[in-house]
Amino acid sequence: MKQIIPYGNADKLFDLHGRTCFIVGAGGIGATIAKAFAQKGAEVIIADINAHEAMQICANIQAEGGNAHTYTIDVTLKENVVKVVETVLQQFGKIDVLVNAVGVSATDSAVDFNEKAIDRILDINLKGSVFLNQSIGKVMIAQRYGKIINIGSIGGVLNHTTCTMPYSISKAAVHQLTRSFAGELSEYGINVNAIAPSWVHTPMMENRETAIYEGIRKGVPFGRMMAPHELIGAAVFLATDASNFVTGITLYVDGGYLSCKPLY
Amino acid sequence: MKYGLDFHNKIVLVTGAAQGIGKSISIGFASLGATVLLVDLEQNERRMVEIVNTADDVGGCAELFCCDITNDASVDKMLSDIKHQYGRVDILINNAGIYRTGPSVEYSYENWDRTSAINVRSHFFMSTKIAKHFMIPAGRGRIIFMSSTAAHFGVPEAVAYGVSKASTLQMTKALAAEWAKYNIHVNAVNPFFVATDLIAFFDEKTVESIAQKSPLKRIANPEDIVGGVLFLCSDLANYITGVHLDVDGGRTIAGS
Ligand SMILES: NC(=O)c1ccc[n+]([C@@H]2O[C@H](COP(=O)([O-])OP(=O)(O)OC[C@H]3O[C@@H](n4cnc5c(N)ncnc54)[C@H](O)[C@@H]3O)[C@@H](O)[C@H]2O)c1
Ligand SMILES: NC(=O)c1ccc[n+]([C@@H]2O[C@H](COP(=O)([O-])OP(=O)(O)OC[C@H]3O[C@@H](n4cnc5c(N)ncnc54)[C@H](O)[C@@H]3O)[C@@H](O)[C@H]2O)c1
């Protein structure tokens, strides 16, 4: 499966034709990646707890001539994850790429954060990610091939946003589970990497305070929030042969945010 | 938006292009339509001629410039020729480098100075000159520093090298922050061991044990580094700057 790319064939490095890509989380980021992968010739399988959302995106992709399918999944239930992955494997025969784009957050002060809310965030973001990496990892071990992409966050690296303590913990955990699975799966030719975005301009962001925008203008070298489509390239890189020698990394897509601390 | 890669009409300058990683990168760009300016020492002219031919075969084009990048006058002359002939440089790959080992207590001034002259000083001024004369006026540009995983760890018996590579990461971050307003992206690529002349002095047994400690169980070939460089120089990386991309087979994240 893994191809040696000869000199002078660099466009093949980024090819997704014929790749079966399982994208979990059909929100702003997952949907954008799913559409792009389908446009690049991949067979796209979209799963979300929100069946309606996933079907909508699937229909959009199909309307544009892409190859897409949907499943309902709750990543917090291990048996459910295992079952969905089995069904997908039966139907499509292989899973080349996993994009794990599920995630939730909530805000409160760290000292007051409600226990139930903490559990929910860790169940979805942390344990859900573990279950996905475990079940897809097993499929990929059998295939002796695969690419896993977990979506982390700059929030898992810095105290990037205030009042999101459990979310930040869960994202730091996503970066670490990426390293753990990368280490264990490397001998089977499987690459496991994470993408850590800073602020993505999704509908969720529309209503945020202007203070955030002001902070970004001053604090991020590129001076603006990223559009969801600006995450696609990192996903394409990590899903294709272009990144065959890259594993365990967290790729920051942050407009230079981490590289500096502005003095004024 | 196109999520493919296309470097037609792009002028790419690669230093240390005659062999190893620089050669692979140059051919990678050429195969995607770029015009590649190969920069290396005069003694490597014959090798560069071969790359010019290969670049042509794979659908791009290349021209060679014999230049010691530590020689300021010779760099200025080359950049003025490039300005005259091409009018711009869109992408700069700071790749030339040397690796001189020796126990620290015996390490010579000469080895320290040469390492820092090539691996640090020349890359800084190459970047500033190209930014000033080409990229800032154009309002865009991409710069890559070929750093190393050696930037992250202590490198016993090659302290000058480790320091030089840590320096390129600092330059990457500082220049990324300073030049973001001109839409110039500055990123680093960190290989671990790559099978090139740079590490040819290691015996086979050592290289094998290095490979076995690496999660992907081999050292890299120069071709393995190309995808990461092309990615960071393409539209796929429009919101990425100031990062270092470890293309190291997982070595950095593994234990000892
Ligand atoms: N939007 C940002 O600014 C940003 C920044 C950094 C990281 N991220 C991360 O990117 C990922 C995707 O974020 P997004 O912006 O697309 O968010 P989103 O809210 O638009 O999408 C998240 C999706 O996850 C689904 N989901 C929630 N619980 C689930 C469960 N138990 N099982 C299956 N699916 C479930 C939701 O239905 C939703 O469709 C998340 O991990 C998020 O933390 C987002
Ligand atoms: N090979 C590795 O294991 C490895 C690992 C990490 C990083 N790197 C880095 O990758 C880069 C390329 O290394 P490589 O392995 O291809 O090495 P290489 O020795 O095969 O090639 C380096 C090239 O740089 C050229 N060069 C040296 N000094 C120059 C000067 N003053 N002016 C112009 N050209 C000059 C050399 O002539 C040579 O062609 C270096 O910066 C190196 O530090 C290499």
Side-chain angles (χ1 to χ4, degrees), chain B residues 1-254:
Chain B
M1 163 151 184
K2 245 184 85 190
Y3 304 116
L5 278 87
D6 183 0
F7 294 101
H8 280 95
N9 299 318
K10 296 285 185 206
I11 313 283
V12 185
L13 190 154
V14 182
T15 70
Q19 61 178 45
I21 299 171
K23 173 182 175 183
S24 287
I25 292 171
S26 300
I27 295 169
F29 273 112
S31 76
L32 295 170
T35 297
V36 186
L37 313 180
L38 311 165
V39 178
D40 210 301
L41 301 172
E42 189 156 15
Q43 70 206 45
N44 288 331
E45 180 164 5
R46 199 183 38 77
R47 289 182 162 154
M48 287 196 280
V49 171
E50 279 168 30
I51 302 172
V52 169
N53 293 334
T54 311
D56 201 43
D57 292 343
V58 299
C61 101
E63 185 177 349
L64 67 90
F65 293 85
C66 294
C67 174
D68 179 336
I69 60 169
T70 62
N71 181 329
D72 300 336
S74 142
V75 170
D76 290 343
K77 161 90 173 61
M78 173 182 79
L79 293 181
S80 129
D81 290 348
I82 288 170
K83 183 154 196 154
H84 202 70
Q85 207 173 331
Y86 296 96
R88 66 200 158 87
V89 173
D90 302 297
I91 296 168
L92 165 64
I93 314 294
N94 287 309
N95 169 77
I98 58 166
Y99 186 37
R100 292 188 181 172
T101 55
S104 291
V105 290
E106 312 291 346
Y107 211 74
S108 66
Y109 294 129
E110 203 276 328
N111 277 346
W112 182 278
D113 291 343
R114 193 68 191 148
T115 302
S116 89
I118 297 176
N119 295 10
V120 183
R121 184 184 185 276
S122 72
H123 292 322
F124 176 74
F125 288 106
M126 186 68 76
S127 305
T128 56
K129 287 170 183 176
I130 286 181
K132 183 171 177 183
H133 297 297
F134 300 111
M135 292 177 176
I136 293 174
R140 66 187 157 83
R142 300 280 170 125
I143 298 175
I144 300 291
F145 285 95
M146 194 54 63
S147 185
S148 166
T149 53
H152 303 315
F153 322 115
V155 192
E157 307 209 338
V159 177
Y161 184 78
V163 167
S164 77
K165 294 305 180 181
S167 300
T168 56
L169 285 197
Q170 170 59 227
M171 283 199 274
T172 299
K173 293 179 200 177
L175 296 177
E178 190 171 333
W179 293 342
K181 57 176 176 285
Y182 306 118
N183 193 25
I184 298 171
H185 299 232
V186 187
N187 292 296
V189 171
N190 293 339
F192 182 55
F193 274 72
V194 187
T196 69
D197 285 358
L198 193 88
I199 59 158
F201 64 88
F202 285 103
D203 59 72
E204 224 168 275
K205 235 181 87 202
T206 310
V207 172
E208 186 48 33
S209 96
I210 290 165
Q212 284 315 314
K213 282 188 174 155
S214 205
L216 292 182
K217 297 281 180 278
R218 63 179 179 93
I219 67 165
N221 295 313
E223 293 81 356
D224 289 314
I225 313 303
V226 177
V229 174
L230 296 175
F231 162 63
L232 290 171
C233 293
S234 75
D235 287 343
L236 299 185
N238 273 347
Y239 200 70
I240 299 181
T241 195
V243 309
H244 57 85
L245 179 62
D246 294 327
V247 185
D248 66 346
R251 188 65 187 94
T252 300
I253 59 107

Side-chain angles (χ1 to χ4, degrees), chain A residues 39-105:
Chain A
Q39 265 176 31
K40 281 185 66 75
E43 172 139 59
V44 169
I45 299 138
I46 304 161
D48 198 289
I49 198 167
N50 181 341
H52 179 73
E53 187 72 28
M55 264 146 67
Q56 196 82 45
I57 286 142
C58 186
N60 286 345
I61 292 174
Q62 286 165 344
E64 285 174 15
N67 202 340
H69 318 266
T70 54
Y71 286 87
T72 308
I73 195 170
D74 181 348
V75 298
T76 63
L77 305 175
K78 178 147 189 193
E79 312 85 84
N80 183 241
V81 174
V82 170
K83 210 180 106 226
V84 173
V85 170
E86 263 170 17
T87 317
V88 169
L89 189 61
Q90 260 166 27
Q91 186 157 355
F92 300 93
K94 65 183 172 106
I95 301 173
D96 297 309
V97 177
L98 163 68
V99 179
N100 165 21
V102 176
V104 295
S105 188

Side-chain angles (χ1 to χ4, degrees), chain A residues 26-30 48-50 73-76 101-104 124 151-153 167 171 197-200 202 205:
Chain A
I29 291 172
D48 198 289
I49 198 167
N50 181 341
I73 195 170
D74 181 348
V75 298
T76 63
V102 176
V104 295
I124 296 175
I151 310 290
S153 170
Y167 176 79
K171 289 300 169 172
S198 52
W199 296 269
V200 185
T202 54
M205 278 291 173

